[in-house]
Amino acid sequence: GAVVSQHPSWVICKSGTSVKIECRSLDFQATTMFWYRQFPKQSLMLMATSNEGSKATYEQGVEKDKFLINHASLTLSTLTVTSAHPEDSSFYICSALRDSNIQPQHFGDGTRLSIL
Amino acid sequence: DAKTTQPPSMDCAEGRAANLPCNHSTISGNEYVYWYRQIHSQGPQYIIHGLKNNETNEMASLIITEDRKSSTLILPHATLRDTAVYYCIVRSGGATNKLIFGTGTLLAVQP
């Protein structure tokens, strides 16, 4: 089955630092990747859609300068949380789509980010 | 994409079938029904999807009503490891391909 890997699984860092999270599709080429955020006891909230070689499309209310997304290849997308603050602490999850039709998205196992 | 409505929680005895309902009364003709589940502190796992015909795979069966306004996910023999939040999502195959998650159903499988 399709495998999506996220790294790191956990990260703890000081307020004001920037954190980069990687999302890789291991056994298929992903034309589109998605980034979600999930707070405790809540559902997943879509942050942005990332297409290889083009700028990401952000959902309403998501700051593009705060959450930098790069999708430089068909197997890798990165999310950088810039100047992170405690309110950015959350569970960040990526997903990858093989091609743009009815195929299901496949999700990584998430990155738990804690900002002190 | 159409919205979905699911019960917030359900219980099921281990070894019995778990039937999880989903209402999607505003679904349009080109929209598919997808089911995912999320076990605590993990990413969502794809289960199954369908358009109008019933579907079955190694994990589950998906029954879609003839008018497509509702569907049921069936786990034929639930185990404790099936305890998770189950999400029913309606999505078209269009350009956006976004999955918008609702609140889902917390299925608790009891020993």
Side-chain angles (χ1 to χ4, degrees):
Chain A
V3 179
V4 176
S5 173
Q6 245 181 279
H7 178 79
S9 300
W10 286 80
V11 59
I12 302 173
C13 59
K14 294 181 179 178
S15 183
T17 58
S18 294
V19 179
K20 181 185 283 189
I21 303 169
E22 290 187 350
C23 178
R24 293 180 185 274
S25 56
L26 297 185
D27 55 354
F28 66 98
Q29 293 188 324
T31 55
T32 308
M33 289 184 170
F34 303 85
W35 288 95
Y36 294 82
R37 181 166 57 178
Q38 185 175 32
F39 292 108
K41 298 188 186 299
Q42 294 185 22
S43 187
L44 283 77
M45 184 185 74
L46 180 66
M47 298 174 68
T49 301
S50 167
N51 290 295
E52 186 265 339
S54 62
K55 289 185 178 180
T57 303
Y58 291 81
E59 295 298 304
Q60 193 171 13
V62 178
E63 299 174 59
K64 63 177 74 174
D65 294 330
K66 173 82 171 170
F67 300 99
L68 300 179
I69 292 172
N70 183 277
H71 192 162
S73 78
L74 285 171
T75 59
L76 174 64
S77 176
T78 60
L79 168 68
T80 301
V81 184
T82 62
S83 187
H85 292 285
E87 58 267 27
D88 299 321
S89 299
S90 189
F91 191 48
Y92 292 87
I93 309 167
C94 73
S95 70
L97 184 63
R98 193 187 299 265
D99 49 34
S100 58
N101 57 19
I102 64 167
Q103 292 302 313
Q105 293 179 25
H106 294 278
F107 287 79
D109 273 339
T111 297
R112 191 158 303 281
L113 174 63
S114 295
I115 308 298
L116 304 178
Chain B
D1 292 329
K3 285 187 65 175
T4 62
T5 304
Q6 299 177 254
S9 63
M10 292 181 64
D11 287 345
C12 177
E14 190 177 18
R16 306 297 292 268
N19 297 287
L20 293 97
C22 179
N23 285 321
H24 30 79
S25 58
T26 60
I27 193 169
S28 61
N30 66 343
E31 289 182 317
Y32 288 73
V33 180
Y34 291 80
W35 283 84
Y36 285 79
R37 71 180 182 184
Q38 186 179 26
I39 296 169
H40 183 62
S41 295
Q42 297 182 21
Q45 177 188 24
Y46 165 75
I47 302 173
I48 199 167
H49 74 283
L51 181 63
K52 53 184 175 182
N53 296 322
N54 298 336
E55 302 286 345
T56 295
N57 62 20
E58 65 278 2
M59 288 183 69
S61 294
L62 173 60
I63 308 298
I64 302 174
T65 58
E66 194 168 338
D67 63 8
R68 302 209 321 122
K69 291 185 177 182
S70 66
S71 61
T72 301
L73 178 75
I74 301 172
L75 306 179
H77 305 286
T79 70
L80 297 178
R81 285 179 291 184
D82 292 322
T83 293
V85 178
Y86 287 77
Y87 296 99
C88 165
I89 304 169
V90 170
R91 170 170 85 82
S92 67
T96 62
N97 293 304
K98 296 192 290 188
L99 287 178
I100 304 301
F101 283 77
T103 53
T105 296
L106 174 58
L107 174 68
V109 180
Q110 310 289 348

